[in-house]
Amino acid sequence: MRSRPSLAVFFLIGLLAGGAWVSLTGAIKPSFQELEESLTCQCGCGLTVHSCNHLQCGSAIPLRAEIREQMDLGKSKTQILAYFANKYGEKILSSPTTSGFNLTAWVMPFALVSLGGIFVVLTLIRWSSRRPARPPSEGGAPLPHEPSPYEKILERELKDFED
Amino acid sequence: MIDIGSLALALGLVLAAYAVVMSLVGALRRRRDLVASAEHAAYAVWGLTVIAVAYLLQLLVTHDFNVEYVAAYSSSTLPLNYTITALWGGQQGSLLFWLLILTSITSVVLLQNRERNRDLMPYVTAVLMIVSVFFLLMLNFITPPFQRLAFTPAEGRDLNPLLQNYWMQIHPPSLYLGYVGCAVPFAFAMAALITGKLGDVWIRTTRRWTLFAWFFLTLGNLFGAEWAYLVLGWGGYWAWDPVENAAFMPWLTCTALLHSVMIQEKKNMLKVWNMVLVILTFLLTIFGTFLTRSGVISSVHSFTQSGLGPFFIGFLALMSALSIGLLVWRLPLLKSENELDSLISRESTFLFNNLVLVGIAFAVFWGTVFPVISEAVRGVKITVGPPFFNKVNAPLGLILLFLTGVGPLIAWRRAGWKSIQRNLLPPLAVGFVSGVVMVGAGMRSYWALIAFPTGIFVLTGIVMEYYRGVRARQAVVGENPLRALFRLIAKNRRRYGGYIIHVGVVMAFFAITGTSIFKQEKQITVSVGQSFPMGSYTLRYEGIEQQSTPHIDYLRAKVAVLENGKQVDLLKPEKRFYKKPQQPTTEVAIRSTLGADLYTVLGSFDQDTKLATLQVYINPLVSFLWYGGLVMALGTAIVIWPGGVKSREPAYAPRRAGERVVAD
């Protein structure tokens, strides 16, 4: 019974992370807008080429023309983006590439959430397994126990107070 | 000769430092007189800050251009409202304004706790005053606001035109209130760690302050989004800019805290985690200010960059070291008897909700700083823009939305399979059916087909909860439905106010999905009288009108909006030319309906050919974001509203025979 929720969580995280990963690979033939959104306008607006609304923009307009040229050559998305990265430097890409050190940009958030998910599941299992081992709270004399840190502080403060 | 503003800041620094020292000495030596003296000093710092702010406002309003700040951020033609808001339009002024909010909040906290939490208060005062000392050091030595020029310019350089907007009058104050509000739970948490009084007193004392901070962070983020939507003119409201991210991250961790703190209140669990969240939220507010002020990461929103970066990093490092050091020192005291009755319970869903919220905060943080990391590691400049954040955060956001629906439907302590089926299956079924209907209606977007039905699932769950509550009151008390609804909310504001906040969150998700996936846009060059279709509308360009004021020249396109052949609106998108800074800006014109915004931008106008280039967008469901914000604000107001809350018995206290467990 206990494995149900943990399996469901792993499944959900795996599914969504996998979905995101597939969308990153860019295996499908790109549209013009997709390429525009993959490039950053260099005019300083901080937006993608697609979103830059400076109609006389000295960066977005030539870049759009260049995207069309590259598409007309029948290149794939990866090839077109590689062309722009080679020509203008990696900073023109609106997202980090999915290779080398840049891969950590993509992997880290999902890795952290996945590891966190495993930790949470294990913690929940540990906490919920403690319960049956404890004696029932109703009735009966309290069991002798080691004083907790709180009790120690209380004891010390009471002693100080009395002093 | 030293002016009154500089004198006030210098005295403020001395008194703030005095308050820090005397609070600590007074607490350690148990000297009430010293603690009281420190508190009086803190009030005095507030008074001195008020004087400094009032003096700067006077300089701005009287156009004393001999003062560098006034000359840099205002002009004689700047309208009075923007002259006043120029207070936070520049570096020095915004730091001073921050200090004003911080010292004001400190004074309120001191007043609130005159008779309460006396063992914690010296340390609370010390922590809040340490933050004040930092800002006062900046204002006295690094960026003094009252610096005078060697000459008096005839005219000021004016406030950045992008900041001359209604939303910029309320966005920074809201955000600062949110940021500074986070300092209060942090100060109490530090006081609890120092004194070792780590029960739930500090948590209960600061609950309203955490909500207060969350409320203003929410509003601040939304006001900023509204400003970007209206002023930047690119058809969107959120571009994952570093400064936007800076405000979003503490909101995420604060949201996580508001949920996890309930577990500590009810079960005395997650003490360490809650401490971590309080510390993280506070540090993220300082990090956010660092991002905005330092210019270390380029941002279109960084209106006031300077060399403050190293000081903020130093302060961040100091506060991190102190808070983490205290946390590690007190770990033995924070260990709680963590136990769960069942693996499936609301506690579990809250833990997952915390995981996802912190995961999104990390993703945003990681993406924001990755360009700096990349440059340090590889020596290569890269960009991490909106596509990265959208791709990484969309799946996490959807998990969060799903958990928003599941959490309230799962009971505290233990949820049996039968109750899960009873509570979850109907909303899940409604969500599923809505998805099928959407597919039938032609919707094909993978993300939309997850997001909308999930949102409908959440809303159905909330409606069910209200329905059950109202029915129960009707059955027990015999009230009419409306009164029962009102009393239901009034009797348990935290629970039902929380549900209202969730409705607002769902509305925001709908808006984000609608605008991300179904946005339409068109750029067209038109002559007078020319029409073109856009969505269900036909737009007709009617010509240009021009207007000139001493402050601004306007170029306004008139665009008639027709629906079914009948004119329903006349939009006037503008180009403004601000005369002092010689800077053009865009002023969009919007026809807003609940379903979609028709968003028009005047791109350019050719005086010779009389041709105008328009950029037109249809932004579906964007109004849900603004209304969702209002709903969130309403829900928070209900939760935070004082009075009427009975002292709460811990949910897991032993029950008398015959009592029922009531989920909260």
Side-chain angles (χ1 to χ4, degrees):
Chain A
M1 199 65 115
R2 265 184 198 139
S3 62
R4 277 194 218 174
S6 47
L7 275 177
V9 169
F10 285 129
F11 176 76
L12 195 61
I13 290 172
L15 184 75
L16 288 162
W21 184 251
V22 167
S23 72
L24 297 179
T25 55
I28 309 157
K29 198 177 175 186
S31 67
F32 177 69
Q33 184 174 330
E34 199 182 335
L35 287 166
E36 274 189 308
E37 285 173 349
S38 301
L39 299 173
T40 304
C41 182
Q42 302 299 299
C43 74
C45 64
L47 298 168
T48 63
V49 171
H50 179 72
S51 296
C52 177
N53 65 336
H54 299 156
L55 293 181
Q56 313 299 332
C57 182
S59 172
I61 293 168
L63 282 171
R64 285 183 191 127
E66 219 166 342
I67 292 171
R68 289 200 191 280
E69 278 171 24
Q70 294 298 309
M71 286 179 76
D72 291 344
L73 294 172
K75 289 181 178 178
S76 69
K77 180 181 177 182
T78 313
Q79 288 170 321
I80 294 174
L81 294 184
Y83 161 82
F84 278 102
N86 283 334
K87 187 171 176 184
Y88 299 98
E90 261 187 63
K91 69 178 183 346
I92 199 164
L93 304 178
S94 62
S95 300
T97 55
T98 51
S99 60
F101 179 73
N102 284 346
L103 190 60
T104 57
W106 296 99
V107 170
M108 282 288 277
F110 293 108
L112 187 94
V113 172
S114 303
L115 287 173
I118 293 168
F119 177 76
V120 168
V121 169
L122 293 177
T123 304
L124 288 173
I125 290 171
R126 202 173 69 238
W127 288 355
S128 60
S129 65
R130 282 180 187 168
R131 186 72 178 176
R134 290 175 63 83
S137 57
E138 290 89 1
L143 295 172
H145 66 285
E146 278 294 305
S148 70
Y150 278 120
E151 287 165 330
K152 284 178 186 167
I153 290 174
L154 180 67
E155 210 173 293
R156 198 168 58 234
E157 286 185 349
L158 280 172
K159 194 167 173 290
D160 289 348
F161 180 73
E162 280 161 11
D163 291 342
Chain B
M1 193 185 76
I2 189 164
D3 57 76
I4 187 171
S6 304
L7 187 65
L9 290 177
L11 277 174
L13 176 59
V14 173
L15 285 175
Y18 172 85
V20 172
V21 174
M22 283 305 124
S23 294
L24 295 176
V25 172
L28 292 172
R29 296 193 176 171
R30 299 187 179 192
R31 291 268 306 270
R32 285 188 184 181
D33 56 333
L34 296 184
V35 172
S37 175
E39 291 183 355
H40 294 152
Y43 288 125
V45 176
W46 170 74
L48 290 163
T49 308
V50 169
I51 290 171
V53 169
Y55 183 58
L56 185 55
L57 279 173
Q58 187 218 326
L59 294 171
L60 282 164
V61 172
T62 56
H63 307 305
D64 186 345
F65 298 128
N66 183 247
V67 176
E68 191 183 343
Y69 187 84
V70 179
Y73 299 106
S74 70
S75 73
S76 58
T77 56
L78 186 66
L80 180 64
N81 54 332
Y82 295 127
T83 304
I84 291 168
T85 59
L87 176 66
W88 52 81
Q91 176 88 274
Q92 302 92 325
S94 58
L95 290 182
L96 183 60
F97 185 56
W98 181 297
L99 182 71
L100 175 70
I101 293 178
L102 178 62
T103 52
S104 303
I105 284 181
T106 303
S107 299
V108 173
V109 169
L110 290 175
L111 279 172
Q112 276 182 333
N113 292 277
R114 274 169 304 175
E115 309 294 335
R116 293 184 292 166
N117 301 316
R118 292 315 303 166
D119 41 358
L120 296 177
M121 284 316 290
Y123 299 103
V124 171
T125 311
V127 171
L128 290 172
M129 281 291 110
I130 285 173
V131 184
S132 295
V133 165
F134 171 70
F135 279 90
L136 280 160
L137 279 171
M138 296 291 103
L139 287 163
N140 274 286
F141 301 111
I142 314 299
T143 57
F146 304 107
Q147 197 96 346
R148 289 202 171 259
L149 296 165
F151 65 101
T152 303
E155 186 53 277
R157 291 203 296 275
D158 208 1
L159 184 65
N160 186 328
L162 291 175
L163 303 181
Q164 295 181 39
N165 176 275
Y166 168 76
W167 295 99
M168 266 296 157
Q169 296 176 81
I170 56 173
H171 162 61
S174 304
L175 212 50
Y176 287 8
L177 280 166
Y179 276 178
V180 176
C182 293
V184 179
F186 175 78
F188 272 91
M190 292 304 101
L193 285 172
I194 294 167
T195 55
K197 295 181 189 306
L198 294 158
D200 61 355
V201 171
W202 75 271
I203 284 273
R204 287 182 188 277
T205 305
T206 58
R207 196 177 76 81
R208 279 216 167 85
W209 279 108
T210 312
L211 275 163
F212 169 90
W214 186 88
F215 176 76
F216 281 105
L217 281 175
T218 306
L219 288 185
N221 274 292
L222 281 167
F223 293 161
E226 179 84 56
W227 168 81
Y229 188 59
L230 297 177
V231 170
L232 298 183
W234 58 279
Y237 47 83
W238 194 267
W240 296 106
D241 182 88
V243 171
E244 292 172 344
N245 297 347
F248 188 43
M249 287 185 279
W251 183 86
L252 288 164
T253 52
C254 194
T255 309
L257 175 67
L258 283 172
H259 287 87
S260 67
V261 96
M262 284 189 234
I263 301 181
Q264 182 167 345
E265 286 179 19
K266 285 180 181 296
K267 257 204 131 173
N268 212 20
M269 287 166 59
L270 300 183
K271 288 180 184 173
V272 178
W273 178 240
N274 286 327
M275 276 288 174
V276 168
L277 285 178
V278 169
I279 293 170
L280 194 59
T281 303
F282 173 74
L283 294 179
L284 282 172
T285 64
I286 301 294
F287 178 71
T289 319
F290 157 71
L291 275 187
T292 316
R293 302 287 151 213
S294 67
V296 69
I297 297 170
S298 63
S299 159
V300 286
H301 297 288
S302 297
F303 298 104
T304 51
Q305 294 176 3
S306 72
L308 286 182
F311 298 99
F312 269 96
I313 281 288
F315 183 63
L316 198 60
L318 175 74
M319 296 310 275
S320 306
L322 281 175
S323 52
I324 294 167
L326 281 170
L327 180 63
V328 171
W329 175 48
R330 289 301 195 186
L331 270 182
L333 286 183
L334 286 164
K335 278 182 185 159
S336 42
E337 287 286 309
N338 294 320
E339 61 179 31
L340 286 175
D341 294 69
S342 166
L343 204 56
I344 302 159
S345 59
R346 194 176 297 181
E347 290 91 322
S348 306
T349 63
F350 274 22
L351 284 183
F352 283 108
N353 129 322
N354 266 236
L355 170 70
V356 177
L357 282 164
V358 174
I360 296 174
F362 174 76
V364 176
F365 172 81
W366 185 242
T368 306
V369 300
F370 197 78
V372 178
I373 296 173
S374 169
E375 198 166 358
V377 174
R378 296 169 61 214
V380 177
K381 275 190 180 176
I382 68 157
T383 306
V384 180
F388 169 86
F389 291 101
N390 290 337
K391 281 174 182 161
V392 171
N393 287 324
L396 296 174
L398 288 175
I399 295 176
L400 185 65
L401 183 61
F402 180 70
L403 290 171
T404 306
V406 173
L409 300 177
I410 303 243
W412 289 104
R413 301 182 69 190
R414 180 188 293 274
W417 283 109
K418 279 193 176 171
S419 79
I420 290 175
Q421 283 171 8
R422 193 178 60 243
N423 290 337
L424 276 180
L425 276 184
L428 277 173
V430 172
F432 179 76
V433 169
S434 70
V436 172
V437 170
M438 286 170 202
V439 172
M443 190 183 283
R444 293 293 177 266
S445 163
Y446 170 65
W447 289 112
L449 284 172
I450 297 175
F452 285 129
T454 308
I456 289 169
F457 153 70
V458 180
L459 292 178
T460 311
I462 293 169
V463 170
M464 268 175 53
E465 281 290 287
Y466 270 99
Y467 177 73
R468 283 179 182 156
V470 168
R471 284 295 298 268
R473 283 199 71 83
Q474 282 183 286
V476 176
V477 195
E479 293 167 333
N480 69 54
L482 204 62
R483 185 173 170 78
L485 177 67
F486 179 78
R487 298 289 296 167
L488 184 73
I489 296 170
K491 286 274 179 192
N492 198 340
R493 289 177 187 162
R494 191 171 182 180
R495 178 180 179 182
Y496 290 97
Y499 290 161
I500 291 173
I501 296 173
H502 282 188
V503 171
V505 170
V506 172
M507 289 172 75
F509 265 94
F510 283 171
I512 293 163
T513 309
T515 50
S516 306
I517 295 168
F518 302 108
K519 184 179 192 169
Q520 297 172 49
E521 53 188 276
K522 184 179 275 182
Q523 183 184 310
I524 189 165
T525 301
V526 283
S527 56
V528 176
Q530 191 179 334
S531 299
F532 59 96
M534 187 66 194
S536 61
Y537 298 110
T538 300
L539 305 187
R540 188 176 62 228
Y541 171 55
E542 305 264 313
I544 282 282
E545 62 183 30
Q546 297 188 42
Q547 186 191 349
S548 185
T549 68
H551 194 53
I552 307 168
D553 283 339
Y554 299 87
L555 194 64
R556 215 170 268 143
K558 290 183 285 181
V559 182
V561 181
L562 294 91
E563 202 168 20
N564 301 320
K566 196 175 154 191
Q567 184 171 332
V568 291
D569 213 336
L570 181 67
L571 299 178
K572 293 182 175 179
E574 294 175 356
K575 276 279 174 209
R576 291 183 180 179
F577 191 80
Y578 286 79
K579 294 178 179 176
K580 299 282 166 14
Q582 301 268 300
Q583 189 179 324
T585 65
T586 299
E587 196 73 12
V588 305
I590 300 170
R591 173 178 167 73
S592 192
T593 62
L594 196 61
D597 273 11
L598 174 66
Y599 180 102
T600 58
V601 184
L602 172 61
S604 64
F605 174 69
D606 191 318
Q607 292 284 3
D608 300 327
T609 61
K610 305 293 179 200
L611 292 175
T613 302
L614 300 171
Q615 205 140 5
V616 188
Y617 301 81
I618 298 276
N619 288 326
L621 302 181
V622 71
S623 59
F624 275 57
L625 186 62
W626 321 127
Y627 291 125
L630 281 178
V631 171
M632 280 190 252
L634 172 71
T636 316
I638 290 172
V639 175
I640 211 170
W641 199 259
V645 181
K646 283 183 284 185
S647 108
R648 297 171 69 84
E649 194 175 301
Y652 302 155
R655 298 189 305 281
R656 290 186 294 277
E659 275 186 355
R660 288 174 61 234
V661 176
V662 179
D664 184 3

